[in-house]
Every structure is written in structure tokens, then in C-alpha cells.
Amino acid sequence: MPLLPAVGAGTWPCCGLPLTRPFSQATRRGGRPGGEELGRLPLDDLASVPRPAEGPELLFGLSPCLLALQAARRRVARLLLQACRSGLQGQRAELLRAAEARAIPVLRPRRRELDALCRHQVHQGVCMEVSPLRPRPWAEAEAARPGDDPQQLWLVLEGLQDPRNLGAVLRSAHFLGVDKVITSRRNSCPLTPVVSKASAGAMEVMDVFSTDDLAGFLQARARQGWLVAGTVGCPGPEIASSSKIPITRCLDFLWDRPTLLVLGNEGSGLSRAVQASCQLLLTILPGRQLPPGLESLNVSVAAGILLHSICSQRKGFPVEGRREQLLHDPQDPSASSEAARAAQRPGLSSGSEKESQDGG
């Protein structure tokens, strides 16, 4: 594998872009640091810059690099750890030990050199030159049959283009116990280092597959007995009455069979062909009257809400049962401290309890 140029060189061959900070001159002139970067946030839903088909890329961030080493799915050319006066501790020390165990060269550049290599992404003092990670063809997925487990959940993503959205979706999917992730090969963001960082490294350990024929994949699974549940924004009365596919709010959904949850593109949602392959459409109802332009949620936020409403029905999911046990079991010496911690968890708040009761 060809290596990146020496740290501090002028260009990075993985993208061919100059290693200059877009807002550095404005900062030196006394402008607000990060002002231009913050101004680009509305562009987050645009597609990422295409990367070369072959060649190394620079993974950055502590969790992505550590999980990539542990998963051993990538070839690793070298590890770059920021030079510092104090010794390495915690996960950084663990990362160094893992690299040394695999005889991976370790360099110790300074912060400004890592900033330049990462194009001023938040690298946490850790970068790693690695081979690209790509989705596997969906045919390589296990031949899971509906009878194997009635509560299987696969997440299907059509045309997600923003790398931060994709990373956030993968992080929620991994946290909540999604079994597999299927993406459309066409018009989808690749598994870039930005996606890995946004996923906190979940991308490095998850099973992610792709297919050229998403509608055909969904139809084949439906014939095997899977429920194909698409997603739609808050529908108006005219949409709800004209839709040929039943629309159900996520809190009313009963998860009693293997399910494929399908999320669409950030701007256009599900394509007609994919939506026509769905047997049910799930929606999230707003808590107030919304002005035009705010009728929908960011796709990664919607994914988290939908996945939690489904996965909380899984047997053994630690929601209300454990909390009630802790609050009403005075014989358990650790009950009071555990109950206090449970009450502080966002998913176990009184508001969440009321929402669960309202949803049946």
C-alpha cells in the first residue's frame, strides 16, 4: 500500500487537496475562529467529496482508530499519535499497545501537522493510514429466515448522502441493537473516515451491506415473511387519505415479526419504487403545530426515535422493568444508587414513561 507523504507535506494524495485551513487567514486577522466553518453547516446534507477507488485513506479520531484496530477489517500502514509532554494514558496507551502488537509503525507528529493532514477535522490527536472500508454485497449476508428469530431488525438506507447523517444513523443502530444495515449502492455516501468519526467508530464493527436493486431486495424479503416498514414525514390529511399503504405512528407499531425498517434520502425521502415495496409506513407525529419548512426531522434524529420505539419492545431491553424493580426493592443495598442513576438517564425519564404509556 502506498504511504502518505511525510507529515507536514503540501498535499494528501487520497484527495489531492492542498493542506490549508479555509478560515486560518481570517482567524489571524482577528475574525471569529471557525466562523466560515459554522457558516457551512447548512450544507451538511450535500454529498461528500468523492474519494479515489483505490489507495489509502486517513482515519481520524480515537474511537474509530481503536475499533478499526480491534476489528482488523482494514490494512493499517501506520499510526500517527500526537506528540505530547505527558505520557500516553487510557485509550491512547491501549491504541499504542495494539499497534505495537501488530508491528504497525508509529509516528509522533505535532498537533499542527495532524491538523494539516486531517484538513482540520477533530482528530483527538490520533490518525491512522488505512485501506478503505466498503459495504459487502448483500448476498453475503446470512440467510436469515423469519422463523429463526421473530424480533430481527434490519435497517435499510436508501440514498443517504451526508456522511455525518450516515455516521449518526450507524451509531444509533449499533447502540440499539440493529442486526444488519443495508444501503443502496447508488447515490449513497461511501463509508468514509468522516462517517466513521460521526459514528464514534461504530462503522468499524457493524455489518454493513449494499445492493444495486433495493426494491428487489425488499420484495424478496417480503416473500420470505419479513415485514417491510418504510418511513414518511408527518402526513397531512390529504396524503393519509390517498395513500395506498397504511400509515402508522411509530408509538403504535407492534413489533411481532422480523422487520426491515427503511429510511430514505435527506431531501426526497423514499423513491417511488422503494415505497411501493413497503407494506407499512411509519411516521413520527410532532408535539405542536409546525410552520412550513419544519414538518420533518433530520434523518439521523428520526432514525434514533424510530429505532428506539421499535427496539424497546425487544425482550430484555432495559427500559421500565429494571427501573421499577430498583425503585421498589428496598432489600437491594445498591437499589437507591442504581435508581438514582436510572432516573437520570434520558431514556428512563418520567416523560419517556408517559410517552410509552400513551403509545400502548
Side-chain angles (χ1 to χ4, degrees), residues 140-325:
E140 295 182 11
E142 298 176 5
R145 292 285 175 177
D148 297 341
D149 181 1
Q151 287 193 323
Q152 292 183 66
L153 180 62
W154 290 18
L155 181 61
V156 181
L157 307 174
E158 183 192 20
L160 263 67
Q161 295 183 341
D162 184 282
R164 293 172 182 83
N165 277 340
L166 177 56
V169 169
L170 292 178
R171 182 174 185 175
S172 296
H174 187 262
F175 183 88
L176 291 169
V178 168
D179 297 297
K180 288 180 176 61
V181 177
I182 309 292
T183 67
S184 58
R185 199 185 310 273
R186 182 178 302 175
N187 297 327
S188 291
C189 174
L191 300 181
T192 66
V194 175
V195 176
S196 186
K197 183 63 168 67
S199 75
M203 186 189 91
E204 305 297 325
V205 296
M206 287 201 72
D207 288 330
V208 181
F209 302 87
S210 67
T211 175
D212 289 321
D213 182 11
L214 200 57
F217 166 78
L218 296 176
Q219 293 163 12
R221 289 290 167 177
R223 289 192 295 269
Q224 293 177 356
W226 291 68
L227 173 66
V228 181
T231 52
V232 65
C234 179
E238 68 285 352
I239 298 178
S241 60
S242 63
S243 176
K244 297 180 180 180
I245 305 174
I247 300 177
T248 304
R249 69 170 187 160
C250 62
L251 292 178
D252 293 334
F253 173 70
L254 177 62
W255 185 26
D256 58 358
R257 56 194 284 202
T259 299
L260 302 174
L261 178 65
V262 191
L263 296 175
N265 174 269
E266 291 93 341
S268 57
L270 297 177
S271 66
R272 291 184 179 181
V274 168
Q275 183 167 315
S277 303
C278 297
Q279 301 156 299
L280 179 71
L281 294 176
L282 298 180
T283 189
I284 303 169
L285 297 184
R288 57 159 50 93
Q289 189 69 29
L290 297 174
L294 292 178
E295 301 94 341
S296 62
L297 291 168
N298 172 275
V299 65
S300 64
V301 175
I305 296 172
L306 291 163
L307 289 175
H308 185 270
S309 70
I310 296 173
C311 293
S312 60
Q313 301 179 47
R314 177 177 279 144
K315 294 179 181 179
F317 194 83
V319 186
E320 293 301 327
R322 176 61 175 162
R323 179 172 179 263
E324 293 299 322
Q325 176 186 351

Side-chain angles (χ1 to χ4, degrees), residues 75-153:
R75 297 188 305 276
V76 181
R78 58 181 177 175
L79 171 67
L80 289 78
L81 281 175
Q82 180 180 325
C84 55
R85 295 180 180 178
S86 59
L88 296 175
Q89 299 178 352
Q91 287 186 314
R92 286 173 176 79
E94 183 180 353
L95 185 64
L96 179 60
R97 289 193 297 269
E100 291 176 340
R102 293 176 53 181
I104 296 171
V106 179
L107 301 182
R108 302 298 301 274
R110 296 184 178 181
R111 172 63 179 266
R112 64 175 178 270
E113 295 168 329
L114 281 180
D115 287 345
L117 278 176
C118 291
R119 300 168 64 196
H120 295 270
Q121 302 278 3
V122 181
H123 53 70
Q124 300 174 290
V126 179
C127 298
M128 204 160 63
E129 185 182 322
V130 296
S131 61
L133 189 63
R134 307 192 186 283
R136 296 155 54 190
W138 78 267
E140 295 182 11
E142 298 176 5
R145 292 285 175 177
D148 297 341
D149 181 1
Q151 287 193 323
Q152 292 183 66
L153 180 62

